[in-house]
């Protein structure tokens, strides 16, 4: 895609479309080649009006007329074919010109042609060829095109050389477009927002496009406070914000959860008459969805319903808003309404609705969407592929998750290899055809490609793939990219290697709120609350303002270790209005600590009605502490809000089973069957030598099944000798005690551990992943197994990480 500056420049420079009379006059002049009309003027008119078909007709008429075409005409033809997407024809015209006819405009036109088609190597080699073989000096258009080709990691070092050239020639002080191109080069090529701002600060002349570009780049890097400061400076300098300005600043409000400022901007939008703009409307929908104090989407929906025009962006914004608000069923309904309205979903729509399917869960609909994405050819697009990986991993279908990830991973690595190919080719070489075709597709690995791949690796827990991507990142020159480093922290944390995540964090030259939040959240989920809170204090001392997600991580850290007073302190100190997720964290903290009465009082004192997530959290605590009375109340609340939620039935069933009330268990199971609600099947998986092995309870399908069960028998004997006693409370079936013990040793996490022990060697840690909460007996057994084997065992369940070593777990048996 072109840069924002280029998009805005084009939109501002294009004249209004020709009316029918002018189009007819232009066509008649071309068809007759009226000598009174200047062919050059006609061709320019075709380019300005983007009527490329008429321009090509004029070219054919000129060829048939046997007229000798001069340089201005040929230059315009190069531009015509370049802008119509036919770079080969543009190159053919350039190469057919006698070298003496090629002027600076000719060279600039072909350099721009290659840059516009993302053929960066070709663009730069042509720029260098012009410098070496002609006496022409680059102008602002030559510099702008060349700098656009340097706006990537591969050619960033070349861009620095061009930057030096620009400084010497004085074009930074003379041309706004060159300044904008330099800003994009520093941001996209080197991830260097500081240098980009220095360029912006030194520009003696700025227009609205320049301000918009710099504000947008700040927002993209999550430097929202800087974006706000720049926005206010823009207004104070006498510039009127346009729809692009407001869309960017509204996005910053959404990320920073600044509802008050967002509402002020909304008023500005209405007063300025930009409320009808579809882009601004979509940004308002997103802002209200993310800034709602209770996570509701009521205000977002009001904005959406009042929009006179809606496009795929608007629909996607409201669908994602409902998904973020936990209203997945409503999101599916909106998606259906969108389709019936003949609005074609884009990548982000698919990503959002697939997340809804994952959360519901409705894996049947997810599979239908997967098929549809394959038909549309977008199943391997980063955000869609990543959502598919997450959905299948959540459903326990690791084979499908791995296939989706490998499809995404392998295609992206091919693109990565193209991007780092050091072989430059000669401009006029016939061997360059393949290189041009691959570049001309517009594909290439960028920061978002790598970020999506790392997120996919994190979903299925494939750390070896994550490490390979990390190596590619370093090879491709993205090692200092803020976005990618944040994704690396998240990947290593979610794959159970918090030490590697911390190394990435410490090696970062620049950090933003996402960096700090990711590392704090990682340590919280691994049970290292002290370290998480220490990092939070360092974040505050560094002057980085926490956002709502940061506080969720901090409160979760307190919850995992029972730091009640610490949690209350942080909850009270939040500068944002607490959202539903923050209240859920406090309910979890009180519930896990056994303070069930205090938890329910807290729920009743909330400034808005508790949603199903809060009651489900409380129900889980009732199950841990065997409080049936409160558990039944919580289950009723969940089912009032989400009648088809199987989790409430299952948690209540488990509560009754723990008390031996099997008639109640049977009644709940019958009720679920009548409602066609199914329990998510538990499974565990482990990656060994780049292959994911998945196990279900009592699984005998693995080729190494006999060896696995022999190992389990051996482990059972050894840990019993150390004092292990099976916790049959974890068996939720009414069977004999002896059979319960047999069931316990057929749990998927124990099978996965046994397989790991016969497949891997010391000192490599064993990393197991489970889609549900690890059971109490498995937790106890794995502690003993870590002693008898001398191995470190890391288990990631649905809630958190457990690091087992020398008979102890990082959760201190508090989960």
């Amino acid at each position: 895609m072109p840069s924002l500056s280029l998009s805005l420049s084009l939109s501002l420079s294009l004249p209004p479309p020709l009316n029918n009379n002018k189009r007819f006059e232009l066509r008649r002049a071309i068809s007759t080649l009226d000598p009174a009309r200047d062919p050059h003027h006609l061709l320019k008119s075709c380019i300005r009006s983007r009527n490329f078909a008429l321009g090509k007709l004029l070219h054919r008429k000129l060829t048939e007329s046997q007229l000798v075409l001069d340089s201005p005409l040929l230059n315009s033809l190069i531009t015509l074919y370049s802008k119509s997407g036919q770079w080969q024809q543009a190159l053919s015209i350039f190469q057919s010109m006698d070298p003496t006819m090629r002027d600076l405009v000719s060279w600039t036109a072909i350099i721009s042609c290659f840059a516009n088609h993302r053929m960066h190597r070709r663009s730069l080699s042509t720029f260098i060829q012009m410098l070496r073989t002609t006496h022409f000096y680059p102008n602002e258009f030559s510099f702008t095109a060349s700098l656009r080709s340097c706006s990537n990691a591969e050619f960033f070092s070349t861009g620095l050389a061009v930057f030096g050239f620009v400084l010497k020639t004085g074009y930074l002080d003379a041309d706004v477009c060159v300044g904008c191109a330099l800003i994009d080069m520093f941001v996209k090529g080197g991830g260097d927002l500081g240098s980009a701002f220095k360029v912006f600060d030194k520009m003696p002349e700025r227009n609205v496009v320049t301000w918009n570009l710099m504000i947008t780049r700040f927002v993209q890097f999550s430097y929202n406070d800087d974006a706000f400061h720049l926005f206010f400076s823009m207004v104070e300098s006498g510039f009127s914000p346009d729809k692009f300005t407001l869309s960017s600043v509204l996005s910053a409000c959404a990320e920073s959860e600044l509802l008050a400022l967002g509402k002020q901007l909304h008023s500005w939008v209405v007063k300025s008459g930009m409320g009808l703009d579809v882009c601004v409307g979509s940004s308002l929908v997103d802002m209200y969805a993310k800034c709602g104090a209770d996570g509701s989407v009521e205000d977002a929906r009001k904005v959406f319903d009042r929009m006179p025009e809606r496009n795929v962006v608007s629909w996607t914004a409201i669908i994602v808003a409902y998904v973020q608000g936990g209203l997945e069923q409503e999101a599916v309904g909106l998606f259906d309404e969108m389709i019936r309205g003949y609005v074609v979903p884009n990548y982000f729509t698919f990503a959002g609705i697939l997340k809804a399917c994952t959360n519901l869960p409705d894996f049947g609909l997810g599979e239908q969407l997967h098929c549809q994405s394959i038909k549309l050819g977008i199943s391997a697009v980063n955000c869609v592929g990543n959502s598919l990986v997450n959905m299948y991993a959540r459903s326990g279908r690791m084979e499908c998750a791995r296939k989706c990830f490998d499809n995404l991973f392998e295609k992206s690595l091919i693109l990565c290899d193209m991007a780092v190919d050091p072989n430059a080719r000669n401009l006029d070489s016939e061997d360059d055809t393949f290189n041009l075709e691959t570049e001309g597709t517009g594909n290439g690995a960028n920061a978002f490609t790598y970020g999506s791949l790392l997120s996919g690796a994190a979903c299925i827990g494939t750390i070896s793939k994550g490490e390979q991507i990390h190596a590619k990142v370093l090879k491709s020159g993205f090692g200092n990219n803020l976005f990618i480093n944040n994704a690396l922290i998240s990947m290593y944390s979610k794959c159970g290697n918090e030490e590697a995540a911390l190394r990435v964090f410490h090696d970062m030259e620049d950090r933003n709120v996402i960096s700090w939040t990711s590392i704090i959240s990682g340590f919280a989920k691994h049970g290292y609350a002290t370290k998480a809170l220490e990092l939070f204090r360092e974040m505050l001392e560094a002057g980085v303002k926490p956002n709502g997600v940061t506080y969720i991580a901090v409160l979760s850290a307190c919850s995992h270790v029972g730091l009640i007073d610490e949690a209350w302190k942080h909850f009270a100190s939040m500068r944002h209005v607490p959202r539903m997720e923050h209240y859920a964290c406090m309910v979890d903290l009180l519930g896990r600590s056994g303070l069930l009465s205090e938890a329910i009082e807290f729920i009743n004192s909330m400034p808005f009605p508790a949603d199903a997530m809060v009651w489900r959290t409380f129900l889980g605590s009732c199950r841990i502490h065997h409080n049936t009375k409160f558990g039944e109340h919580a289950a009723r609340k969940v089912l009032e809000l989400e009648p088809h939620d199987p989790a409430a039935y299952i948690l209540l069933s488990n509560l009754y089973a723990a008390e031996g009330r099997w008639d109640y268990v049977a009644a709940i199971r019958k009720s679920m069957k009548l409602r066609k609600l199914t329990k998510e099947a538990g499974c565990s998986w482990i990656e060994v030598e780049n292959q994911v092995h998945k196990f279900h309870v009592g699984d005998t399908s693995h080729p190494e099944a006999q060896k696995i069960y022999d190992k389990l028998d051996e482990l059972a004997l050894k840990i019993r000798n150390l004092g292990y006693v099976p916790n049959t409370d974890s068996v939720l079936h009414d069977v004999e005690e002896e059979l319960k013990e047999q069931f316990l040793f057929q749990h998927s996490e124990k099978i996965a551990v046994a397989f790991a022990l016969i497949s891997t060697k010391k000192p490599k840690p064993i990393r197991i992943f489970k889609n549900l909460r690890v059971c109490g007996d498995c937790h106890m057994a794995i502690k003993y197994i870590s002693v008898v084997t001398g191995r470190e065992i890391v288990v990631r369940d649905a809630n958190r990480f457990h690091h087992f070593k020398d008979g102890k777990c990082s959760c201190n048996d508090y989960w």
Side-chain angles (χ1 to χ4, degrees):
M1 290 184 64
S3 65
L4 176 63
S5 58
L6 178 60
S7 300
L8 293 175
S9 298
L10 287 173
S11 66
L12 293 173
S13 63
L14 289 176
L18 295 175
N19 60 37
N20 290 335
N21 289 336
K22 288 185 177 179
R23 285 184 182 277
F24 177 75
E25 181 184 347
L26 181 60
R27 181 178 290 276
R28 183 177 62 183
I30 290 173
S31 62
T32 59
L33 262 185
D34 185 351
R37 302 297 297 268
D38 177 10
H40 183 261
H41 171 77
L42 294 175
L43 191 55
K44 286 285 188 183
S45 298
C46 293
I47 295 170
R48 289 195 188 97
S49 63
R50 303 188 72 80
N51 196 331
F52 302 127
L54 278 178
K56 292 169 187 176
L57 172 64
L58 174 58
H59 184 197
R60 188 169 73 246
K61 290 290 184 181
L62 288 171
T63 303
E64 292 171 355
S65 71
Q66 304 275 317
L67 289 174
V68 177
L69 305 185
D70 58 13
S71 293
L73 265 176
L74 291 170
N75 294 341
S76 294
L77 285 171
I78 293 171
T79 302
L80 170 77
Y81 285 105
S82 172
K83 291 190 174 182
S84 66
Q86 294 179 269
W87 65 265
Q88 298 95 331
Q89 185 64 26
L91 177 61
S92 175
I93 293 170
F94 178 82
Q95 291 177 329
S96 69
M97 294 175 70
D98 187 277
T100 59
M101 292 183 65
R102 296 175 183 169
D103 55 17
L104 178 58
V105 178
S106 316
W107 285 96
T108 299
I110 197 63
I111 291 168
S112 299
C113 173
F114 291 141
N116 292 340
H117 287 81
R118 300 178 67 87
M119 299 159 64
H120 306 311
R121 190 185 306 278
R122 199 71 180 262
S123 176
L124 292 170
S125 64
T126 307
F127 179 72
I128 293 169
Q129 186 176 346
M130 180 186 79
L131 297 177
R132 288 177 174 172
T133 62
T134 74
H135 62 279
F136 299 122
Y137 215 67
N139 59 14
E140 62 270 31
F141 304 109
S142 314
F143 277 127
T144 300
S146 301
L147 288 167
R148 284 208 314 274
S149 291
C150 298
S151 297
N152 53 75
E154 183 183 4
F155 296 114
F156 180 61
S157 58
T158 306
L160 293 176
V162 178
F163 176 45
F165 200 175
V166 167
L167 291 176
K168 288 181 180 179
T169 56
Y171 272 106
L172 176 60
D173 298 329
D175 191 80
V176 172
C177 290
V178 173
C180 289
L182 279 168
I183 290 170
D184 258 356
M185 183 201 74
F186 278 112
V187 173
K188 294 180 178 179
D192 187 353
L193 197 60
S195 295
F197 183 71
K198 287 179 182 177
V199 170
F200 172 84
D201 203 36
K202 291 181 178 179
M203 290 174 66
E205 182 186 348
R206 302 169 191 153
N207 56 18
V208 174
V209 175
T210 319
W211 286 96
N212 285 348
L213 176 61
M214 199 65 239
I215 291 170
T216 301
R217 296 299 175 243
F218 273 130
V219 174
Q220 287 177 342
F221 275 71
S222 296
Y223 286 100
N224 296 322
D225 288 344
D226 295 296
F228 295 136
H229 176 75
L230 205 60
F231 171 69
F232 297 136
S233 297
M234 173 184 178
V235 175
E236 290 170 0
S237 299
F239 291 92
S240 298
D242 61 12
K243 60 183 181 179
F244 301 104
T245 323
L246 292 169
S247 294
S248 293
V249 180
L250 284 167
S251 295
C253 290
E255 294 304 319
S256 299
E257 299 180 11
L258 295 179
L259 182 60
L261 178 57
K263 286 183 175 180
Q264 291 181 46
L265 290 170
H266 191 178
S267 300
W268 196 340
V269 164
V270 174
K271 290 176 182 177
S272 63
M274 283 186 275
L276 303 180
D277 182 78
V278 69
C279 294
V280 175
S282 300
S283 297
L284 283 167
V285 170
D286 184 55
M287 186 274 295
Y288 279 115
K290 289 179 178 176
C291 292
D294 60 351
S296 71
V297 294
E298 184 179 344
D299 289 331
R301 185 58 187 262
K302 285 179 182 177
V303 174
F304 178 79
D305 288 340
R306 291 170 183 169
M307 291 176 69
E309 179 188 352
R310 301 169 190 154
N311 61 9
V312 64
V313 178
S314 321
W315 280 101
T316 301
I318 193 65
I319 288 169
V320 171
Y322 272 93
V323 175
Q324 290 171 341
L327 301 170
E328 288 84 2
Q329 202 66 56
E330 290 82 351
V332 172
L334 280 165
F335 180 76
D336 181 58
E337 186 180 343
M338 169 186 167
I339 298 297
R340 286 189 280 105
Y342 301 103
V343 178
V344 180
N346 63 15
Y347 311 144
F348 303 106
T349 323
F350 269 97
I353 200 64
L354 282 167
K355 185 177 180 182
C357 295
T358 304
N359 293 345
L360 276 171
D362 187 347
F363 302 126
L365 176 58
E367 288 177 340
Q368 293 179 44
L369 290 166
H370 187 187
C371 294
Q372 192 63 35
S373 70
I374 292 172
K375 289 179 182 177
L376 294 173
I378 62 173
S379 62
V381 172
N382 293 334
C383 59
V384 178
N386 194 44
S387 296
L388 287 167
V389 169
N390 190 34
M391 181 192 71
Y392 283 119
R394 178 73 175 79
S395 68
R397 298 175 63 182
M398 297 310 301
E399 298 89 347
C400 295
R402 185 57 183 257
K403 285 178 182 176
C404 290
F405 176 71
D406 284 342
N407 187 30
L408 182 65
F409 180 75
E410 289 165 6
K411 287 189 177 182
S412 295
L413 281 195
I414 292 170
L415 297 173
C416 294
D417 288 332
M418 290 179 188
V420 298
D421 177 19
N423 299 317
R425 301 172 191 263
N426 184 276
L427 172 68
D428 296 315
S429 169
E430 294 296 326
D431 295 331
D432 204 30
T433 305
F434 176 75
N435 188 47
L436 289 172
E437 289 174 351
T438 55
E439 285 188 71
T441 62
N443 293 324
N446 57 22
F448 298 101
T449 307
Y450 286 119
S452 184
L453 287 170
L454 289 166
S455 181
C459 284
I460 59 176
T462 173
I463 194 168
S464 64
K465 289 289 189 184
E467 289 170 340
Q468 290 179 48
I469 300 166
H470 192 176
K472 283 287 182 181
V473 164
L474 297 174
K475 184 180 178 183
S476 303
F478 280 105
N480 292 323
N481 184 276
L482 181 65
F483 176 81
I484 293 177
N485 280 322
N486 289 342
L488 281 167
I489 292 171
S490 181
M491 184 275 295
Y492 280 120
S493 295
K494 290 180 179 179
C495 287
N497 193 342
E498 196 60 21
E499 296 83 2
L502 190 60
R503 283 197 297 271
V504 173
F505 179 78
H506 283 320
D507 289 342
M508 292 174 69
E509 296 179 359
D510 193 18
R511 303 171 188 142
N512 62 6
V513 63
I514 297 173
S515 319
W516 286 97
T517 300
S518 296
I519 195 67
I520 292 168
S521 179
F523 275 103
K525 286 185 178 293
H526 283 260
Y528 303 123
T530 303
K531 181 63 176 177
L533 295 173
E534 178 189 324
L535 284 163
F536 181 62
R537 285 190 288 272
E538 289 180 17
M539 174 184 178
L540 296 178
E541 290 170 2
V544 180
K545 295 179 181 178
N547 60 22
V549 181
T550 317
Y551 277 106
I552 290 173
V554 170
L555 295 174
S556 296
C558 295
S559 177
H560 285 319
V561 293
L563 297 175
I564 298 176
D565 292 340
E566 185 85 4
W568 278 118
K569 182 184 75 174
H570 292 302
F571 184 79
S573 70
M574 289 179 62
R575 65 188 181 96
H576 303 289
V577 177
R579 297 180 59 167
M580 194 72 75
E581 294 90 338
H582 303 112
Y583 283 96
C585 287
M586 294 304 296
V587 170
D588 185 52
L589 170 73
L590 295 170
R592 285 178 187 273
S593 302
L595 303 174
L596 298 178
S597 296
E598 289 84 346
I600 204 162
E601 286 177 12
F602 179 75
I603 293 173
N604 293 332
S605 69
M606 287 169 56
F608 37 76
D611 67 359
M613 173 181 63
V614 172
W615 286 111
R616 211 163 24 237
T617 300
F618 181 65
L619 177 55
S621 297
C622 295
R623 176 247 177 283
I624 293 172
H625 295 287
H626 308 291
N627 191 312
T628 307
K629 180 183 177 181
F630 281 151
E632 289 173 336
H633 175 68
R636 281 195 298 270
K637 288 291 187 179
V638 173
L639 294 175
E640 284 175 10
L641 295 165
E642 295 182 4
H644 301 289
D645 177 26
Y649 289 99
I650 294 162
L651 285 168
L652 188 59
S653 173
N654 292 350
L655 187 58
Y656 288 136
E659 294 186 351
R661 299 167 66 176
W662 301 110
D663 51 340
Y664 284 79
V665 173
I668 288 176
R669 288 175 179 168
K670 183 179 179 180
S671 180
M672 288 181 67
K673 189 175 181 179
L674 289 172
R675 289 172 171 79
K676 297 182 180 180
L677 301 176
T678 57
K679 177 184 177 181
E680 183 180 349
C683 69
S684 300
W685 62 93
I686 180 172
E687 182 190 15
V688 176
E689 295 181 355
N690 282 328
Q691 183 177 354
V692 174
H693 301 262
K694 186 181 72 169
F695 304 95
H696 291 94
V697 61
D699 204 332
T700 58
S701 61
H702 196 277
E704 302 288 328
Q706 186 59 54
K707 292 182 180 179
I708 291 171
Y709 281 97
D710 288 344
K711 190 67 176 179
L712 279 173
D713 291 340
E714 176 191 328
L715 290 170
L717 183 61
K718 287 183 177 180
I719 65 176
R720 280 179 187 273
N721 291 335
L722 280 182
Y724 162 74
V725 178
N727 177 10
T728 55
D729 288 345
S730 299
V731 180
L732 304 175
H733 297 277
D734 187 14
V735 295
E736 296 295 328
E737 197 72 13
E738 185 178 344
L739 193 55
K740 285 185 178 182
E741 293 185 13
Q742 292 180 18
F743 283 162
L744 287 174
F745 256 79
Q746 293 179 6
H747 281 194
S748 63
E749 51 264 64
K750 290 191 182 81
I751 298 173
V753 169
F755 173 72
L757 289 169
I758 66 174
S759 306
T760 64
K761 296 180 180 180
K762 292 182 180 180
K764 189 176 181 181
I766 294 170
R767 304 183 194 279
I768 307 293
F769 300 85
K770 187 177 181 182
N771 64 330
L772 303 178
R773 183 178 181 271
V774 65
C775 85
D777 182 76
C778 285
H779 191 272
M780 178 62 70
I782 296 173
K783 285 201 296 183
Y784 280 103
I785 292 171
S786 72
V787 175
V788 299
T789 61
R791 299 288 295 272
E792 179 183 357
I793 303 171
V794 182
V795 178
R796 185 184 89 180
D797 70 7
N799 297 326
R800 60 175 300 164
F801 278 90
H802 301 267
H803 290 253
F804 299 92
K805 189 174 183 180
D806 299 328
K808 296 179 180 179
C809 179
S810 59
C811 75
N812 292 317
D813 299 335
Y814 189 88
W815 85 103

